[in-house]
Amino acid sequence: MVVECVWKHSSATGDGSKTFILLLASLLRLIHAAASKESNVSHSYSSTKAAEASTARHLADKLLAFGLKELDELIATGVVPYGGCISWEDFTVEAQTPSLTNNLCVQKLLRSFFHTRCGYTHCDFSSHLTCELLSHWKFKNQLPSFSLQLVSDYFPALHTPVSGFPVRSSRLIEGQVIHRDFATPPLKTDHQPVKAVVLTGSLQPTLLSTGDVLELGCRGRMKEERSILHFSSWMESSLQGIIAKLQTLGVCVLLSAVKQSAAVLALATQAEMCLVECVSEDELSLFSQLSGTTPIWDCSMIESEHVATLAFCRPIQLGAHRYVHVAFQDSEERITIKPCSLIICAPGEGQIEQYACALQDAIRMLLRTWEPMHAAATTTSKSTLQSHKGASLHTDSLTEQTTYRSIAIQPIQKCVLKPGCVLSAGGLFELLLHYALLQHGHSCSVSPDLNIDASVSQLLANALLSVPQKIYSHSPHHFLESQRRVISFVSKFPNDSHPFSLVYKRENTISPIQVEGPLGDGELSLHCCREGDKLSKVSELDLGLESVSCKYQLLLAVLQCVASLLKVDAVLPTHTALHTQSCRLTRTSWEGTEDEGED
């Protein structure tokens, strides 16, 4: 159950597995301790253990209800004002120097993500490659979630693994790579515009399916043979007519979802048409999206809207495999988009899979970052590929500080969970929310009717500290000092939304979260660097940014997992192995079911 919860959350947000386990373990320990101290044991239970289990379930349900009802507002008022919004324009990296690119907010967000997934060596390269990829997929007059959703959905078709090369050989290439080879000789004029058609069925007419019987009207052996010859001749002439119609429309590239017959291959070769068979559904769907054409099932009904005009269609050798490489002509509908494919290189296949998963999860993380977390947060709604709703983003300004290399982030004016909210990494989210939960519990304790809310917020606040405690486990003094400084900063400036800079690194120095006084025009600096501290591998985790919305979804997922776990009354051993698929979240619901374990 726990693995399923972690997998489901990481599939949605792209990250957070380790933090999920830390929070889950901390909550279960605190709930167990609170249930054990409960003195009012009801006589409806036969034992103290049953009473403790009931109390634990009650606390878990209260935590989940609290998270669904009030957690977003607490984050909006207690965390978001001390963060900022990153801009979709930060993905434009074409005219920027490497030094300036390193200061982009999105680069910082991706860098901290890839640091935990791919290691420190290639995190900068991976973040820059991701930004470059997304800068090519920016649609005109569309929200960021539209482009991110498209890249996420079609990522298997957009990337090509190539083993035997270093990771830094990974690159972008123009157009789309179709992961099949030509079934007929490729075109000789591979640099000229060509016309293509997407086929979802067989090009040759099929009147009979498997198991059908052909009844001939004439009797006699000679007449039957003549009828069969007439039927075969009709089939061949129909196929020739289809090929002639395709030639009339200027089509010379056929992309087929199925394997074509030998007759089709022969006639296509004779007509100097190149045919690509057994193309995957995702690749054909992406091709149709980019070319603006509609796939055709019956080629006898083909019209001009089924014909796509390509800039070129030629073979491409990537590693040990040869594929089909196509590029699309520019259109007015997508002036800003420049379709490209991602070539992921690594010495071995396992490393390629690791980097490909990390890149796809990074895109999922960015998608969740730009999705509004509450209906009140949206200012503009538009439908995306899968009816996602988004909000308009603010344009952020990049400023240079004289002492530190910093990022000036536009402050959030309203206390709502807007798209693009980010915060300094390294436990700052948990520390800010911990303080906000304590303040909420204190305000609720004033009213006797809200005591249960006070205890719930206190429990969740204590559980959150397990994350920064783990981050600063190498130095408990740094954890206590960071907690003190955050509380001091929030107490001094409660929800004032002062503009400030997130500063990450000075030359060869780094330290935990530190707060300093005003900088210039009333600006505050909440940063992770301090002169005199030595750079260490552990403190590298403090660099970068993290998504507020992903953190919010992580908390909800953990609370749901806790509530589901504590609904299990007992684990019954069996002598026969059970089918694990029947216990998967995608098929059965935990609520109202009895869980059994293997012997």
Side-chain angles (χ1 to χ4, degrees):
M1 291 171 64
V2 173
V3 171
E4 288 288 353
C5 284
V6 175
W7 174 82
K8 185 178 179 180
H9 168 74
S10 60
S11 298
T13 61
D15 198 18
S17 300
K18 295 183 289 294
T19 306
F20 190 106
I21 297 299
L22 287 174
L23 285 175
L24 177 66
S26 179
L27 276 173
L28 289 175
R29 284 194 296 267
L30 292 173
I31 289 175
H32 175 71
S36 300
K37 294 179 181 179
E38 182 65 44
S39 57
N40 299 326
V41 179
S42 173
H43 19 268
S44 59
Y45 297 99
S46 58
S47 65
T48 304
K49 184 177 180 180
E52 290 177 358
S54 177
T55 303
R57 284 195 295 268
H58 181 68
L59 282 174
D61 291 338
K62 285 291 186 181
L63 277 168
L64 181 57
F66 175 80
L68 294 173
K69 184 179 179 181
E70 300 187 39
L71 191 58
D72 57 345
E73 184 177 354
L74 277 175
I75 294 175
T77 56
V79 177
V80 169
Y82 306 100
C85 277
I86 54 178
S87 171
W88 183 240
E89 299 302 322
D90 288 345
F91 284 110
T92 305
V93 297
E94 296 178 349
Q96 293 172 347
T97 62
S99 59
L100 183 59
T101 302
N102 289 335
N103 285 331
L104 290 175
C105 303
V106 176
Q107 289 274 9
K108 293 294 183 182
L109 177 62
L110 289 171
R111 186 185 188 280
S112 56
F113 178 89
F114 284 117
H115 183 275
T116 60
R117 299 294 298 272
C118 303
Y120 179 74
T121 305
H122 298 117
C123 61
D124 284 330
F125 175 77
S126 299
S127 60
H128 179 78
L129 187 64
T130 305
C131 284
E132 188 179 0
L133 171 66
L134 295 177
S135 67
H136 284 75
W137 288 93
K138 295 172 67 174
F139 284 83
K140 180 183 179 182
N141 300 326
Q142 291 290 351
L143 294 174
S145 56
F146 182 92
S147 300
L148 290 168
Q149 187 68 62
L150 185 140
V151 175
S152 177
D153 291 342
Y154 290 108
F155 188 80
L158 282 173
H159 85 278
T160 303
V162 179
S163 60
F165 294 88
V167 174
R168 291 189 175 272
S169 297
S170 302
R171 64 191 186 278
L172 300 178
I173 62 173
E174 178 188 4
Q176 180 184 359
V177 175
I178 298 175
H179 301 99
R180 300 292 298 180
D181 199 359
F182 291 99
T184 60
L187 298 174
K188 296 180 181 180
T189 56
D190 56 356
H191 293 280
Q192 297 180 3
V194 295
K195 293 186 177 181
V197 169
V198 174
L199 307 175
T200 58
S202 177
L203 194 63
Q204 185 173 7
T206 54
L207 297 181
L208 299 177
S209 302
T210 304
D212 293 345
V213 178
L214 176 63
E215 295 184 0
L216 301 177
C218 301
R219 293 182 179 181
R221 184 175 179 180
M222 296 295 296
K223 292 184 178 180
E224 289 179 358
E225 291 179 354
R226 192 175 302 169
S227 298
I228 293 175
L229 290 175
H230 282 296
F231 178 77
S232 178
S233 176
W234 175 85
M235 294 283 290
E236 183 177 354
S237 62
S238 298
L239 179 58
Q240 290 176 346
I242 293 175
I243 295 294
K245 186 173 184 180
L246 291 172
Q247 285 181 312
T248 303
L249 294 172
V251 176
C252 55
V253 177
L254 304 176
L255 303 179
S256 174
V258 299
K259 187 173 180 61
Q260 300 293 334
S261 64
V264 172
L265 295 178
L267 287 176
T269 303
Q270 184 179 354
E272 296 184 350
M273 292 184 182
C274 59
L275 174 64
V276 186
E277 298 177 307
C278 303
V279 184
S280 69
E281 182 181 354
D282 286 341
E283 291 177 334
L284 289 181
S285 178
L286 177 61
F287 181 90
S288 300
Q289 288 269 359
L290 298 176
S291 61
T293 57
T294 305
I296 184 69
W297 169 265
D298 184 3
C299 280
S300 62
M301 307 294 293
I302 190 171
E303 300 294 341
S304 58
E305 62 265 19
H306 301 116
V307 179
T309 302
L310 305 177
F312 61 78
C313 177
R314 60 194 180 210
I316 181 173
Q317 190 76 28
L318 295 174
H321 301 279
R322 193 176 82 157
Y323 301 115
V324 177
H325 185 199
V326 299
F328 304 91
Q329 289 190 334
D330 295 334
S331 62
E332 295 181 358
E333 289 76 12
R334 54 170 207 266
I335 296 178
T336 57
I337 183 178
K338 299 176 182 179
C340 64
S341 296
L342 176 63
I343 309 300
I344 301 179
C345 300
E349 294 182 359
Q351 291 173 295
I352 291 178
E353 184 178 358
Q354 177 187 3
Y355 281 98
C357 291
L359 285 167
Q360 186 173 18
D361 287 343
I363 294 170
R364 289 171 178 166
M365 180 269 294
L366 291 174
L367 174 61
R368 297 296 174 260
T369 300
W370 263 288
E371 280 185 344
M373 296 308 302
H374 196 274
T378 58
T379 56
T380 304
S381 298
K382 291 185 178 180
S383 61
T384 62
L385 284 177
Q386 296 183 353
S387 300
H388 289 277
K389 293 182 179 180
S392 59
L393 300 177
H394 299 285
T395 303
D396 304 322
S397 59
L398 299 177
T399 61
E400 295 289 337
Q401 301 289 342
T402 56
T403 307
Y404 299 98
R405 288 178 294 178
S406 62
I407 299 173
I409 297 183
Q410 177 180 351
I412 298 172
Q413 301 298 331
K414 297 180 180 179
C415 292
V416 292
L417 295 181
K418 292 183 178 181
C421 293
V422 293
L423 201 66
S424 177
L428 180 58
F429 175 88
E430 288 79 12
L431 291 174
L432 288 173
L433 186 56
H434 167 81
Y435 181 79
L437 286 167
L438 292 181
Q439 294 298 107
H440 176 76
H442 177 72
S443 61
C444 290
S445 61
V446 178
S447 174
D449 298 334
L450 298 178
N451 284 335
I452 185 64
D453 291 338
S455 63
V456 165
S457 61
Q458 175 74 40
L459 192 150
L460 184 57
N462 293 336
L464 285 170
L465 291 181
S466 62
V467 177
Q469 283 174 345
K470 185 65 177 179
I471 294 175
Y472 298 109
S473 59
H474 64 288
S475 177
H477 170 72
H478 283 171
F479 163 71
L480 295 175
E481 185 68 14
S482 300
Q483 184 180 13
R484 184 191 66 81
R485 285 172 173 164
V486 168
I487 293 176
S488 175
F489 176 78
V490 176
S491 301
K492 187 176 181 180
F493 302 99
N495 303 334
D496 285 342
S497 299
H498 288 285
F500 61 87
S501 299
L502 299 179
V503 187
Y504 299 97
K505 188 176 181 182
R506 198 184 176 185
E507 297 299 330
N508 300 325
T509 60
I510 195 171
S511 80
I513 299 170
Q514 179 179 341
V515 179
E516 289 190 354
L519 297 176
D521 299 330
E523 292 189 345
L524 300 173
S525 177
L526 178 61
H527 57 82
C528 305
C529 50
R530 182 176 59 187
E531 188 174 1
D533 288 339
K534 295 181 179 180
L535 182 64
S536 65
K537 293 183 179 179
V538 179
S539 62
E540 277 285 344
L541 294 174
D542 298 331
L543 294 177
L545 299 169
E546 57 187 3
S547 168
V548 173
S549 60
C550 288
K551 284 286 189 178
Y552 170 68
Q553 293 190 33
L554 171 65
L555 284 176
L556 290 184
V558 171
L559 294 178
Q560 290 171 348
C561 184
V562 169
S564 298
L565 281 174
L566 295 179
K567 282 184 172 65
V568 178
D569 292 322
V571 178
L572 305 178
T574 63
H575 296 286
T576 57
L578 300 177
H579 296 288
T580 56
Q581 288 291 338
S582 62
C583 300
R584 294 183 67 86
L585 284 177
T586 55
R587 300 200 178 188
T588 59
S589 174
W590 295 347
E591 296 184 4
T593 61
E594 296 182 359
D595 294 272
E596 298 179 335
E598 295 186 2
D599 195 4

